[in-house]
Amino acid sequence: MRILGGVASGILILEFSLSAVANIPAMQVAVNRFTSLTRTPPRRDVIVMIGLLDLLGVVGVIQGFWHTAPAVAAGSFFALLSGFVVYRQLTHGDKGKELVPYTLFLACALIMIISRVQSS
């Protein structure tokens, strides 16, 4: 389970660090991606806030290799964010391959939380 948790952590680090890079300066690509995923056009400050939280979450995942609490907190945030995106996609009738990315991130966040709690 520890190896699976490490792989899940790596996936979360990769995805959400790239997301933070795009969201913090509120790049148009980040706004368009958020809008296409949730069908809700965000305000600029919301995108920046999500980017900052993504960055803090990535730091938490990295710290989580040595301490359990930051990984659990970061994993909880990523699970909530990914769960929200999947929920919005499902309510708007998305199916098939549109659901794969954020379902994967949700699963990775949950796997990371479980593996960190079990190893502590």
Side-chain angles (χ1 to χ4, degrees):
M1 187 67 171
R2 189 170 179 99
I3 293 172
L4 188 58
V7 170
S9 297
I11 291 170
L12 292 173
I13 290 168
L14 181 62
E15 166 60 24
F16 289 102
S17 61
L18 293 173
S19 179
V21 167
N23 285 347
I24 291 173
M27 296 172 73
Q28 190 60 42
V29 68
V31 174
N32 292 343
R33 182 172 182 226
F34 187 87
T35 303
S36 71
L37 289 171
T38 64
R39 311 310 195 284
T40 305
R43 293 187 348 223
R44 182 181 179 348
D45 56 340
V46 170
I47 290 293
V48 172
M49 182 188 67
I50 291 172
L52 291 171
L53 290 172
D54 285 348
L55 183 61
L56 286 174
V58 168
V59 170
V61 172
I62 293 169
Q63 284 183 332
F65 286 112
W66 297 277
H67 307 286
T68 303
V72 172
S76 299
F77 167 69
F78 291 143
L80 287 171
L81 180 63
S82 299
F84 169 74
V85 171
V86 170
Y87 170 76
R88 292 292 295 179
Q89 288 178 311
L90 287 172
T91 58
H92 286 93
D94 287 354
K95 51 188 164 192
K97 66 181 180 178
E98 290 96 11
L99 297 173
V100 171
Y102 276 86
T103 303
L104 171 71
F105 303 140
L106 175 60
C108 285
L110 296 174
I111 289 168
M112 185 190 69
I113 292 169
I114 292 166
S115 72
R116 293 299 189 276
V117 170
Q118 281 183 347
S119 69
S120 65

